[in-house]
Amino acid sequence: MRRSQILPMKSASHRAGAVGDTMAEQAETETARGLPSYADVARAAERIAGIAHRTPVLTSRTADAQTGAKLFFKAENLQRGGAFKFRGAYNAISALPEAVRARGVLSFSSGNHAQAIALASQLLGIPATIVMPSDAPAAKIAATRGYGAEVVLYDRYSQDREALGRELAEPRGMTVIPPFNHPDVIAGQGTLAQELIEEAGPLDVLVACLGGGGQLAGCALAAAALSPGCRVIGVEPEAGNDGQRSFRSGAIVTIPVPRTIADGAQSTALGDLTFAIIRREVADILTVSDAQLVATMRFFAERMKLLVEPTGCLAAAAVLHGLVDIKDKRVGVVISGGNVDLATFAHLVGPTS
Protein backbone atom coordinates (compact mmCIF):
# COMPACT_ATOMS: atom_id res chain seq x y z
CA MET A 1 0.00 0.00 0.00
CA ARG A 2 1.31 3.41 -0.94
CA ARG A 3 1.09 6.25 1.50
CA SER A 4 -0.48 9.52 0.55
CA GLN A 5 1.74 12.56 0.79
CA ILE A 6 1.00 16.09 1.93
CA LEU A 7 2.55 18.89 -0.05
CA PRO A 8 4.37 21.47 2.08
CA MET A 9 2.18 24.47 2.88
CA LYS A 10 3.16 27.71 1.19
CA SER A 11 2.26 31.15 2.44
CA ALA A 12 -0.81 32.69 0.86
CA SER A 13 -0.11 35.21 -1.86
CA HIS A 14 -3.36 36.86 -2.83
CA ARG A 15 -2.91 37.96 -6.40
CA ALA A 16 -5.72 40.41 -7.05
CA GLY A 17 -3.21 42.92 -8.38
CA ALA A 18 -1.46 40.40 -10.62
CA VAL A 19 -4.22 39.62 -13.04
CA GLY A 20 -3.45 42.55 -15.33
CA ASP A 21 -5.47 45.13 -17.16
CA THR A 22 -7.49 42.55 -19.09
CA MET A 23 -8.70 40.90 -15.89
CA ALA A 24 -9.50 44.30 -14.36
CA GLU A 25 -11.63 45.21 -17.37
CA GLN A 26 -13.35 41.83 -17.22
CA ALA A 27 -14.06 42.36 -13.52
CA GLU A 28 -15.78 45.67 -14.25
CA THR A 29 -17.94 44.04 -16.93
CA GLU A 30 -18.88 41.13 -14.70
CA THR A 31 -19.69 43.39 -11.75
CA ALA A 32 -22.16 45.21 -13.97
CA ARG A 33 -23.79 41.85 -14.81
CA GLY A 34 -23.83 40.71 -11.17
CA LEU A 35 -21.21 38.03 -11.82
CA PRO A 36 -18.18 37.67 -9.55
CA SER A 37 -14.68 37.90 -11.01
CA TYR A 38 -11.29 36.67 -9.89
CA ALA A 39 -10.85 39.97 -8.03
CA ASP A 40 -13.78 38.87 -5.84
CA VAL A 41 -12.06 35.54 -5.20
CA ALA A 42 -8.96 37.41 -4.06
CA ARG A 43 -11.04 39.61 -1.73
CA ALA A 44 -12.76 36.51 -0.37
CA ALA A 45 -9.36 34.99 0.40
CA GLU A 46 -8.54 38.06 2.49
CA ARG A 47 -11.85 37.85 4.39
CA ILE A 48 -11.52 34.17 5.29
CA ALA A 49 -7.77 34.21 6.02
CA GLY A 50 -7.14 32.89 9.51
CA ILE A 51 -10.77 31.75 9.82
CA ALA A 52 -11.13 29.02 7.20
CA HIS A 53 -8.54 26.25 7.22
CA ARG A 54 -5.95 26.30 4.47
CA THR A 55 -6.57 22.63 3.77
CA PRO A 56 -3.73 20.33 2.70
CA VAL A 57 -2.97 19.29 -0.86
CA LEU A 58 -2.46 15.52 -0.88
CA THR A 59 -0.72 13.24 -3.37
CA SER A 60 -0.85 9.49 -3.84
CA ARG A 61 1.61 7.34 -5.80
CA THR A 62 -1.09 4.69 -6.11
CA ALA A 63 -3.50 7.15 -7.74
CA ASP A 64 -0.76 8.49 -9.99
CA ALA A 65 0.16 4.98 -11.14
CA GLN A 66 -3.48 4.10 -11.75
CA THR A 67 -4.14 7.18 -13.88
CA GLY A 68 -0.76 7.87 -15.48
CA ALA A 69 -0.95 11.45 -14.25
CA LYS A 70 0.31 13.58 -11.37
CA LEU A 71 -2.69 14.19 -9.12
CA PHE A 72 -3.08 16.88 -6.48
CA PHE A 73 -6.05 16.32 -4.15
CA LYS A 74 -7.42 19.41 -2.36
CA ALA A 75 -8.73 17.90 0.88
CA GLU A 76 -11.74 20.06 1.72
CA ASN A 77 -13.13 17.21 3.81
CA LEU A 78 -10.69 18.61 6.40
CA GLN A 79 -12.22 22.11 6.20
CA ARG A 80 -14.13 23.67 9.11
CA GLY A 81 -17.62 22.22 9.07
CA GLY A 82 -16.30 19.25 7.12
CA ALA A 83 -16.66 20.71 3.62
CA PHE A 84 -15.64 23.48 1.22
CA LYS A 85 -18.95 25.25 1.85
CA PHE A 86 -17.55 27.12 4.87
CA ARG A 87 -15.51 29.33 2.53
CA GLY A 88 -18.48 30.74 0.65
CA ALA A 89 -20.72 30.94 3.70
CA TYR A 90 -18.27 32.92 5.82
CA ASN A 91 -17.35 35.20 2.93
CA ALA A 92 -21.00 35.98 2.09
CA ILE A 93 -22.05 36.67 5.66
CA SER A 94 -19.00 38.72 6.58
CA ALA A 95 -19.49 40.85 3.45
CA LEU A 96 -22.93 42.01 4.66
CA PRO A 97 -23.25 45.48 6.22
CA GLU A 98 -23.07 45.16 10.01
CA ALA A 99 -26.66 46.30 10.62
CA VAL A 100 -28.01 43.86 8.04
CA ARG A 101 -25.85 41.02 9.34
CA ALA A 102 -27.08 41.57 12.90
CA ARG A 103 -30.65 40.66 11.89
CA GLY A 104 -29.46 37.19 10.98
CA VAL A 105 -29.35 34.97 7.91
CA LEU A 106 -31.43 32.16 6.47
CA SER A 107 -30.46 29.48 4.01
CA PHE A 108 -31.63 26.17 2.57
CA SER A 109 -29.38 23.17 2.18
CA SER A 110 -29.17 19.40 2.28
CA GLY A 111 -26.37 19.64 4.81
CA ASN A 112 -22.94 21.06 4.05
CA HIS A 113 -24.03 24.63 3.28
CA ALA A 114 -26.35 24.37 6.28
CA GLN A 115 -23.47 23.53 8.59
CA ALA A 116 -21.31 26.19 6.99
CA ILE A 117 -23.90 28.95 7.47
CA ALA A 118 -24.58 27.79 11.03
CA LEU A 119 -20.89 27.76 11.96
CA ALA A 120 -20.12 31.07 10.25
CA SER A 121 -23.11 32.68 11.99
CA GLN A 122 -21.97 31.33 15.35
CA LEU A 123 -18.48 32.76 14.81
CA LEU A 124 -19.94 36.14 13.80
CA GLY A 125 -22.45 36.15 16.66
CA ILE A 126 -25.67 36.33 14.63
CA PRO A 127 -28.83 34.17 14.45
CA ALA A 128 -29.27 31.65 11.64
CA THR A 129 -32.23 29.62 10.39
CA ILE A 130 -31.67 26.71 8.02
CA VAL A 131 -34.30 24.95 5.90
CA MET A 132 -33.16 21.32 5.51
CA PRO A 133 -34.73 18.26 3.85
CA SER A 134 -36.14 15.78 6.32
CA ASP A 135 -34.08 12.99 4.73
CA ALA A 136 -30.75 14.80 5.05
CA PRO A 137 -28.08 12.74 6.80
CA ALA A 138 -28.70 12.74 10.55
CA ALA A 139 -25.12 13.79 11.23
CA LYS A 140 -25.56 16.93 9.09
CA ILE A 141 -28.82 17.91 10.80
CA ALA A 142 -27.28 17.32 14.24
CA ALA A 143 -24.16 19.30 13.38
CA THR A 144 -26.21 22.23 12.07
CA ARG A 145 -28.21 22.36 15.30
CA GLY A 146 -25.01 21.89 17.26
CA TYR A 147 -23.63 25.12 15.78
CA GLY A 148 -26.66 26.93 17.21
CA ALA A 149 -28.86 27.32 14.13
CA GLU A 150 -32.62 26.85 14.07
CA VAL A 151 -33.42 23.95 11.71
CA VAL A 152 -36.72 23.79 9.81
CA LEU A 153 -37.31 20.47 8.03
CA TYR A 154 -39.19 20.02 4.74
CA ASP A 155 -39.97 17.29 2.19
CA ARG A 156 -37.53 17.79 -0.71
CA TYR A 157 -39.76 15.83 -3.10
CA SER A 158 -42.98 17.82 -2.53
CA GLN A 159 -42.08 21.23 -1.07
CA ASP A 160 -40.28 24.26 -2.52
CA ARG A 161 -37.39 25.07 -0.18
CA GLU A 162 -36.78 28.51 -1.64
CA ALA A 163 -40.41 29.57 -1.21
CA LEU A 164 -40.43 28.23 2.34
CA GLY A 165 -37.21 30.08 3.06
CA ARG A 166 -38.62 33.39 1.81
CA GLU A 167 -41.73 32.94 3.95
CA LEU A 168 -39.56 32.50 7.03
CA ALA A 169 -36.98 35.20 6.25
CA GLU A 170 -39.13 38.17 5.26
CA PRO A 171 -41.05 38.72 8.53
CA ARG A 172 -37.82 38.33 10.52
CA GLY A 173 -35.78 40.69 8.37
CA MET A 174 -33.20 37.98 7.75
CA THR A 175 -30.93 37.90 4.70
CA VAL A 176 -31.19 34.80 2.51
CA ILE A 177 -27.81 33.28 1.61
CA PRO A 178 -28.48 30.61 -1.03
CA PRO A 179 -26.15 27.60 -1.28
CA PHE A 180 -24.60 28.41 -4.66
CA ASN A 181 -26.24 31.15 -6.76
CA HIS A 182 -24.73 34.14 -4.94
CA PRO A 183 -21.65 36.13 -6.03
CA ASP A 184 -19.97 36.09 -2.62
CA VAL A 185 -20.63 32.37 -2.19
CA ILE A 186 -19.11 31.66 -5.60
CA ALA A 187 -16.10 33.86 -4.85
CA GLY A 188 -15.54 32.15 -1.51
CA GLN A 189 -15.58 28.71 -3.07
CA GLY A 190 -13.01 29.87 -5.61
CA THR A 191 -10.45 30.33 -2.84
CA LEU A 192 -9.95 26.57 -2.66
CA ALA A 193 -8.65 26.51 -6.24
CA GLN A 194 -6.55 29.59 -5.55
CA GLU A 195 -4.83 27.77 -2.67
CA LEU A 196 -4.47 24.57 -4.69
CA ILE A 197 -2.72 26.32 -7.57
CA GLU A 198 -0.53 28.39 -5.25
CA GLU A 199 0.73 25.19 -3.60
CA ALA A 200 0.78 22.70 -6.48
CA GLY A 201 1.78 25.10 -9.23
CA PRO A 202 0.19 25.44 -12.68
CA LEU A 203 -2.27 22.70 -13.61
CA ASP A 204 -3.19 21.15 -16.95
CA VAL A 205 -6.60 20.03 -15.68
CA LEU A 206 -8.73 20.90 -12.66
CA VAL A 207 -11.65 18.59 -11.83
CA ALA A 208 -14.34 19.84 -9.44
CA CYS A 209 -17.59 18.52 -8.04
CA LEU A 210 -20.88 19.87 -9.37
CA GLY A 211 -24.23 20.33 -7.68
CA GLY A 212 -25.60 23.83 -8.09
CA GLY A 213 -22.35 25.10 -9.53
CA GLY A 214 -20.87 27.33 -6.83
CA GLN A 215 -17.70 25.30 -6.43
CA LEU A 216 -17.20 24.71 -10.15
CA ALA A 217 -17.81 28.35 -11.07
CA GLY A 218 -15.54 29.70 -8.34
CA CYS A 219 -12.76 27.25 -9.18
CA ALA A 220 -13.05 28.13 -12.87
CA LEU A 221 -12.56 31.83 -12.08
CA ALA A 222 -9.42 31.08 -10.07
CA ALA A 223 -8.00 28.66 -12.62
CA ALA A 224 -8.51 31.09 -15.51
CA ALA A 225 -6.56 33.77 -13.63
CA LEU A 226 -3.81 31.73 -12.01
CA SER A 227 -3.28 28.83 -14.42
CA PRO A 228 -4.16 30.00 -17.95
CA GLY A 229 -4.78 27.09 -20.29
CA CYS A 230 -5.98 24.80 -17.49
CA ARG A 231 -9.02 22.75 -18.57
CA VAL A 232 -11.70 22.87 -15.88
CA ILE A 233 -14.11 19.94 -15.73
CA GLY A 234 -17.18 19.48 -13.56
CA VAL A 235 -18.55 16.13 -12.38
CA GLU A 236 -22.08 15.40 -11.19
CA PRO A 237 -24.06 12.22 -10.42
CA GLU A 238 -25.59 10.31 -13.33
CA ALA A 239 -29.05 10.61 -11.83
CA GLY A 240 -28.69 14.39 -11.55
CA ASN A 241 -27.17 15.42 -14.87
CA ASP A 242 -28.95 18.77 -15.16
CA GLY A 243 -25.60 20.55 -15.31
CA GLN A 244 -24.33 18.40 -18.17
CA ARG A 245 -27.59 18.82 -20.09
CA SER A 246 -27.55 22.58 -19.49
CA PHE A 247 -23.92 22.88 -20.56
CA ARG A 248 -24.48 20.99 -23.80
CA SER A 249 -27.78 22.63 -24.71
CA GLY A 250 -26.73 26.18 -23.86
CA ALA A 251 -29.74 26.80 -21.59
CA ILE A 252 -30.49 25.94 -17.96
CA VAL A 253 -32.28 22.59 -17.72
CA THR A 254 -34.39 21.79 -14.65
CA ILE A 255 -34.94 18.19 -13.56
CA PRO A 256 -36.86 16.46 -10.73
CA VAL A 257 -34.94 15.93 -7.51
CA PRO A 258 -32.46 13.18 -8.43
CA ARG A 259 -32.23 10.02 -6.37
CA THR A 260 -28.55 9.46 -5.68
CA ILE A 261 -26.28 8.76 -2.72
CA ALA A 262 -24.58 12.09 -3.51
CA ASP A 263 -27.00 14.01 -1.29
CA GLY A 264 -25.01 17.24 -1.65
CA ALA A 265 -25.60 17.21 -5.42
CA GLN A 266 -29.36 16.69 -5.46
CA SER A 267 -30.00 20.16 -6.85
CA THR A 268 -32.48 20.37 -9.71
CA ALA A 269 -30.88 23.16 -11.75
CA LEU A 270 -27.85 25.40 -11.98
CA GLY A 271 -28.21 29.05 -10.97
CA ASP A 272 -28.13 31.82 -13.54
CA LEU A 273 -24.87 33.17 -12.09
CA THR A 274 -23.13 29.81 -11.85
CA PHE A 275 -24.31 28.78 -15.32
CA ALA A 276 -23.01 31.98 -16.92
CA ILE A 277 -19.53 31.38 -15.52
CA ILE A 278 -19.57 27.64 -16.26
CA ARG A 279 -20.58 28.21 -19.90
CA ARG A 280 -17.68 30.59 -20.38
CA GLU A 281 -14.89 28.98 -18.36
CA VAL A 282 -15.56 25.22 -18.13
CA ALA A 283 -14.37 22.71 -20.75
CA ASP A 284 -16.83 19.89 -20.05
CA ILE A 285 -19.21 18.31 -17.54
CA LEU A 286 -19.16 14.56 -16.90
CA THR A 287 -21.23 12.20 -14.77
CA VAL A 288 -20.42 9.22 -12.53
CA SER A 289 -22.57 6.44 -11.13
CA ASP A 290 -23.34 5.77 -7.49
CA ALA A 291 -21.29 2.57 -7.80
CA GLN A 292 -18.28 4.60 -8.94
CA LEU A 293 -18.76 6.95 -5.98
CA VAL A 294 -18.75 4.00 -3.57
CA ALA A 295 -15.59 2.59 -5.15
CA THR A 296 -13.94 5.99 -4.74
CA MET A 297 -15.02 6.26 -1.10
CA ARG A 298 -13.37 2.89 -0.56
CA PHE A 299 -10.19 4.01 -2.35
CA PHE A 300 -9.87 7.07 -0.16
CA ALA A 301 -10.44 5.06 3.02
CA GLU A 302 -8.10 2.21 2.14
CA ARG A 303 -5.32 4.00 0.28
CA MET A 304 -5.27 7.55 1.62
CA LYS A 305 -6.90 7.05 5.04
CA LEU A 306 -9.54 9.68 4.32
CA LEU A 307 -13.22 9.71 5.23
CA VAL A 308 -15.01 11.25 2.24
CA GLU A 309 -18.75 11.55 1.65
CA PRO A 310 -20.30 10.41 -1.65
CA THR A 311 -20.66 13.95 -3.03
CA GLY A 312 -17.08 14.70 -2.06
CA CYS A 313 -15.95 11.85 -4.34
CA LEU A 314 -17.53 13.13 -7.56
CA ALA A 315 -14.41 14.68 -9.09
CA ALA A 316 -12.09 11.89 -7.97
CA ALA A 317 -14.47 9.20 -9.24
CA ALA A 318 -14.28 10.58 -12.78
CA VAL A 319 -10.49 10.76 -12.61
CA LEU A 320 -9.91 7.34 -11.04
CA HIS A 321 -12.34 5.62 -13.41
CA GLY A 322 -10.64 6.96 -16.52
CA LEU A 323 -13.39 9.33 -17.64
CA VAL A 324 -10.98 12.26 -18.08
CA ASP A 325 -8.03 12.32 -20.50
CA ILE A 326 -5.19 13.14 -18.09
CA LYS A 327 -2.26 10.91 -19.04
CA ASP A 328 1.06 12.66 -18.32
CA LYS A 329 -0.78 15.75 -17.06
CA ARG A 330 -0.77 17.70 -13.79
CA VAL A 331 -4.28 17.43 -12.41
CA GLY A 332 -6.02 19.13 -9.50
CA VAL A 333 -8.87 17.13 -7.93
CA VAL A 334 -11.30 18.62 -5.41
CA ILE A 335 -12.36 16.44 -2.49
CA SER A 336 -15.33 18.57 -1.51
CA GLY A 337 -16.44 17.15 1.85
CA GLY A 338 -16.43 14.41 4.44
CA ASN A 339 -19.78 14.70 6.20
CA VAL A 340 -21.25 11.21 6.09
CA ASP A 341 -22.95 9.18 8.82
CA LEU A 342 -20.60 6.43 9.96
CA ALA A 343 -23.37 3.85 9.71
CA THR A 344 -24.04 4.92 6.11
CA PHE A 345 -20.33 4.90 5.32
CA ALA A 346 -19.92 1.40 6.73
CA HIS A 347 -22.95 0.18 4.79
CA LEU A 348 -21.69 1.61 1.51
CA VAL A 349 -18.03 0.62 1.68
CA GLY A 350 -18.38 -2.58 3.66
CA PRO A 351 -17.53 -6.06 2.35
CA THR A 352 -18.89 -6.82 -1.09
CA SER A 353 -20.42 -10.16 -2.00
Side-chain angles (χ1 to χ4, degrees):
M1 181 181 298
R2 301 291 191 183
R3 290 191 175 186
S4 58
Q5 298 177 329
I6 303 178
L7 292 187
M9 291 291 190
K10 297 179 182 178
S11 60
S13 58
H14 307 308
R15 308 179 185 183
V19 295
D21 293 340
T22 300
M23 289 298 296
E25 292 169 2
Q26 179 179 322
E28 291 179 7
T29 301
E30 293 187 347
T31 298
R33 297 174 57 197
L35 296 178
S37 68
Y38 175 69
D40 296 299
V41 176
R43 280 191 288 270
E46 294 173 356
R47 287 195 190 104
I48 70 173
I51 307 296
H53 293 327
R54 192 175 175 90
T55 52
V57 176
L58 307 178
T59 61
S60 165
R61 286 179 291 174
T62 300
D64 289 353
Q66 180 175 324
T67 60
K70 182 61 179 175
L71 306 183
F72 301 92
F73 296 94
K74 182 61 169 167
E76 285 293 292
N77 57 313
L78 303 179
Q79 184 55 261
R80 295 188 75 162
F84 77 100
K85 291 283 193 177
F86 180 73
R87 297 172 179 273
Y90 191 88
N91 183 55
I93 296 174
S94 61
L96 293 172
E98 186 174 351
V100 174
R101 187 168 63 233
R103 294 197 292 269
V105 296
L106 180 143
S107 194
F108 33 85
S109 167
S110 64
N112 285 341
H113 182 68
Q115 291 177 75
I117 289 288
L119 175 55
S121 298
Q122 181 187 69
L123 294 172
L124 292 166
I126 64 170
T129 297
I130 312 295
V131 177
M132 299 185 71
S134 56
D135 63 347
K140 294 185 178 183
I141 295 174
T144 303
R145 287 179 170 145
Y147 290 130
E150 173 192 9
V151 174
V152 177
L153 300 177
Y154 78 103
D155 183 341
R156 74 164 90 219
Y157 298 104
S158 64
Q159 291 181 280
D160 183 338
R161 67 180 188 176
E162 295 188 32
L164 179 58
R166 287 192 297 270
E167 290 175 8
L168 293 169
E170 288 175 5
R172 305 181 191 190
M174 302 179 103
T175 299
V176 176
I177 307 290
F180 51 84
N181 201 45
H182 187 290
D184 292 323
V185 171
I186 295 169
Q189 318 308 24
T191 62
L192 77 87
Q194 179 195 55
E195 292 176 6
L196 170 59
I197 294 167
E198 286 178 344
E199 292 179 22
L203 300 172
D204 298 308
V205 182
L206 174 59
V207 189
C209 307
L210 175 59
Q215 178 192 137
L216 180 58
C219 287
L221 291 175
L226 302 179
S227 189
C230 174
R231 295 182 71 245
V232 179
I233 295 172
V235 185
E236 61 187 349
E238 275 183 356
N241 69 335
D242 60 290
Q244 184 185 65
R245 291 166 62 184
S246 300
F247 183 77
R248 294 182 180 176
S249 69
I252 295 176
V253 173
T254 300
I255 63 172
V257 176
R259 295 185 181 273
T260 170
I261 62 171
D263 64 282
Q266 286 182 292
S267 52
T268 60
L270 300 177
D272 60 335
L273 301 182
T274 57
F275 181 57
I277 296 169
I278 289 169
R279 281 193 73 186
R280 188 188 70 213
E281 303 290 356
V282 170
D284 200 4
I285 293 176
L286 307 175
T287 66
V288 293
S289 68
D290 281 1
Q292 289 170 325
L293 291 176
V294 170
T296 305
M297 291 172 71
R298 187 176 293 113
F299 172 87
F300 279 134
E302 292 179 344
R303 295 290 182 169
M304 298 180 69
K305 310 309 176 191
L306 294 174
L307 180 70
V308 184
E309 65 184 277
T311 309
C313 290
L314 284 166
V319 169
L320 295 175
H321 286 86
L323 303 183
V324 188
D325 179 14
I326 56 172
K327 184 172 175 56
D328 299 324
K329 292 181 170 59
R330 293 169 50 82
V331 183
V333 182
V334 180
I335 302 174
S336 66
N339 293 316
V340 57
D341 296 334
L342 289 180
T344 299
F345 182 85
H347 170 73
L348 290 173
V349 306
T352 57
S353 56

Coordinates of all heavy atoms in Angstrom, one line a residue, residues 210 216 232 236 241-253 270 275 277-285:
L210 N -19.8 19.0 -8.9 CA -20.9 19.9 -9.4 C -22.2 19.5 -8.8 O -22.7 18.3 -8.9 CB -21.0 19.8 -10.9 CG -22.1 20.6 -11.6 CD1 -22.0 22.1 -11.2 CD2 -22.1 20.4 -13.1
L216 N -17.8 24.8 -8.8 CA -17.2 24.7 -10.1 C -17.0 26.1 -10.7 O -15.9 26.4 -11.3 CB -18.1 23.9 -11.0 CG -17.7 23.7 -12.5 CD1 -16.3 23.1 -12.6 CD2 -18.7 22.9 -13.3
V232 N -10.9 23.1 -17.1 CA -11.7 22.9 -15.9 C -12.9 22.0 -16.2 O -13.6 22.3 -17.2 CB -12.2 24.2 -15.3 CG1 -13.0 24.0 -14.1 CG2 -11.0 25.1 -15.0
E236 N -20.8 15.5 -12.0 CA -22.1 15.4 -11.2 C -22.6 14.0 -11.2 O -22.1 13.1 -12.1 CB -23.1 16.4 -11.7 CG -23.5 16.1 -13.2 CD -24.5 17.2 -13.7 OE1 -25.0 18.1 -12.9 OE2 -24.7 17.3 -14.9
N241 N -28.0 14.8 -13.8 CA -27.2 15.4 -14.9 C -27.7 16.7 -15.5 O -27.5 17.0 -16.6 CB -26.9 14.4 -16.0 CG -28.2 14.1 -16.8 OD1 -29.3 14.3 -16.3 ND2 -28.0 13.7 -18.0
D242 N -28.4 17.5 -14.6 CA -29.0 18.8 -15.2 C -27.8 19.7 -15.6 O -28.0 20.4 -16.6 CB -29.8 19.5 -14.1 CG -29.0 19.8 -12.8 OD1 -28.6 18.8 -12.1 OD2 -28.7 21.0 -12.6
G243 N -26.7 19.7 -14.9 CA -25.6 20.5 -15.3 C -25.0 20.2 -16.7 O -24.8 21.0 -17.5
Q244 N -24.8 18.9 -16.9 CA -24.3 18.4 -18.2 C -25.3 18.7 -19.3 O -24.9 19.2 -20.4 CB -24.1 16.9 -18.1 CG -23.5 16.3 -19.4 CD -23.4 14.8 -19.3 OE1 -24.4 14.1 -19.3 NE2 -22.2 14.3 -19.2
R245 N -26.6 18.5 -19.1 CA -27.6 18.8 -20.1 C -27.7 20.3 -20.4 O -27.8 20.8 -21.5 CB -28.9 18.3 -19.6 CG -29.0 16.7 -19.6 CD -30.2 16.2 -18.9 NE -31.5 16.7 -19.5 CZ -32.7 16.4 -19.0 NH1 -32.8 15.7 -17.9 NH2 -33.8 16.8 -19.6
S246 N -27.5 21.1 -19.3 CA -27.6 22.6 -19.5 C -26.3 23.0 -20.3 O -26.4 23.9 -21.2 CB -27.6 23.3 -18.1 OG -28.7 22.9 -17.4
F247 N -25.2 22.5 -19.9 CA -23.9 22.9 -20.6 C -24.0 22.6 -22.1 O -23.5 23.4 -22.9 CB -22.8 22.1 -19.9 CG -21.4 22.5 -20.4 CD1 -20.8 23.7 -20.0 CD2 -20.7 21.6 -21.2 CE1 -19.5 24.0 -20.5 CE2 -19.5 21.9 -21.7 CZ -18.9 23.1 -21.3
R248 N -24.5 21.4 -22.4 CA -24.5 21.0 -23.8 C -25.6 21.6 -24.6 O -25.5 21.7 -25.8 CB -24.5 19.5 -23.8 CG -23.2 18.9 -23.3 CD -23.1 17.4 -23.3 NE -21.8 17.0 -22.7 CZ -21.4 15.8 -22.5 NH1 -22.2 14.8 -22.8 NH2 -20.2 15.6 -21.9
S249 N -26.7 22.0 -24.0 CA -27.8 22.6 -24.7 C -27.7 24.1 -24.8 O -28.3 24.8 -25.6 CB -29.1 22.3 -24.1 OG -29.3 22.9 -22.8
G250 N -26.9 24.7 -23.9 CA -26.7 26.2 -23.9 C -27.8 26.9 -23.1 O -27.9 28.1 -23.2
A251 N -28.7 26.2 -22.4 CA -29.7 26.8 -21.6 C -29.9 26.0 -20.3 O -29.7 24.8 -20.3 CB -31.0 26.8 -22.4
I252 N -30.3 26.6 -19.2 CA -30.5 25.9 -18.0 C -31.6 24.9 -18.1 O -32.8 25.3 -18.4 CB -30.8 26.9 -16.8 CG1 -29.5 27.8 -16.6 CG2 -31.1 26.2 -15.5 CD1 -29.7 28.9 -15.6
V253 N -31.3 23.7 -17.7 CA -32.3 22.6 -17.7 C -32.6 22.3 -16.3 O -31.8 22.1 -15.4 CB -31.7 21.3 -18.4 CG1 -32.6 20.2 -18.3 CG2 -31.4 21.6 -19.9
L270 N -28.9 24.4 -12.3 CA -27.8 25.4 -12.0 C -28.5 26.8 -11.8 O -29.6 27.0 -12.2 CB -26.9 25.5 -13.2 CG -26.1 24.2 -13.5 CD1 -25.3 24.4 -14.8 CD2 -25.3 23.7 -12.4
F275 N -24.3 29.3 -13.9 CA -24.3 28.8 -15.3 C -23.6 29.7 -16.3 O -22.9 29.3 -17.2 CB -25.8 28.6 -15.8 CG -25.9 28.1 -17.2 CD1 -25.4 26.9 -17.5 CD2 -26.6 28.9 -18.1 CE1 -25.5 26.4 -18.8 CE2 -26.8 28.4 -19.4 CZ -26.2 27.2 -19.8
I277 N -21.0 31.6 -15.7 CA -19.5 31.4 -15.5 C -19.1 30.0 -16.1 O -18.1 29.9 -16.8 CB -19.1 31.5 -14.0 CG1 -19.4 32.9 -13.5 CG2 -17.6 31.2 -13.9 CD1 -19.3 33.1 -12.0
I278 N -19.9 29.0 -15.8 CA -19.6 27.6 -16.3 C -19.6 27.6 -17.8 O -18.7 27.0 -18.4 CB -20.6 26.6 -15.7 CG1 -20.3 26.4 -14.2 CG2 -20.5 25.3 -16.4 CD1 -21.4 25.7 -13.4
R279 N -20.5 28.2 -18.4 CA -20.6 28.2 -19.9 C -19.3 28.8 -20.5 O -18.8 28.4 -21.5 CB -21.8 29.0 -20.4 CG -23.1 28.3 -20.3 CD -24.2 29.0 -21.1 NE -24.0 28.9 -22.6 CZ -24.7 29.6 -23.5 NH1 -25.6 30.4 -23.1 NH2 -24.4 29.4 -24.8
R280 N -18.8 29.9 -19.8 CA -17.7 30.6 -20.4 C -16.3 29.9 -20.1 O -15.4 29.9 -20.9 CB -17.7 32.0 -19.8 CG -16.7 33.0 -20.4 CD -16.6 34.3 -19.7 NE -16.1 34.1 -18.4 CZ -16.4 34.8 -17.3 NH1 -17.4 35.7 -17.4 NH2 -15.9 34.6 -16.1
E281 N -16.2 29.4 -18.8 CA -14.9 29.0 -18.4 C -14.6 27.5 -18.3 O -13.5 27.0 -18.1 CB -14.7 29.6 -17.0 CG -14.8 31.1 -16.9 CD -13.6 31.8 -17.6 OE1 -12.7 31.1 -18.1 OE2 -13.7 33.1 -17.6
V282 N -15.7 26.7 -18.4 CA -15.6 25.2 -18.1 C -15.5 24.5 -19.5 O -16.1 24.8 -20.4 CB -16.7 24.7 -17.3 CG1 -16.8 23.2 -17.2 CG2 -16.6 25.3 -15.9
A283 N -14.6 23.5 -19.5 CA -14.4 22.7 -20.7 C -15.4 21.6 -21.0 O -15.8 21.4 -22.1 CB -13.0 22.1 -20.7
D284 N -15.9 21.0 -19.9 CA -16.8 19.9 -20.0 C -17.4 19.5 -18.7 O -16.9 19.9 -17.6 CB -16.2 18.6 -20.7 CG -17.2 17.7 -21.3 OD1 -18.4 18.0 -21.3 OD2 -16.7 16.6 -21.7
I285 N -18.6 18.8 -18.7 CA -19.2 18.3 -17.5 C -19.5 16.8 -17.8 O -20.1 16.4 -18.8 CB -20.5 19.1 -17.2 CG1 -20.2 20.5 -16.8 CG2 -21.3 18.4 -16.1 CD1 -21.4 21.4 -16.6

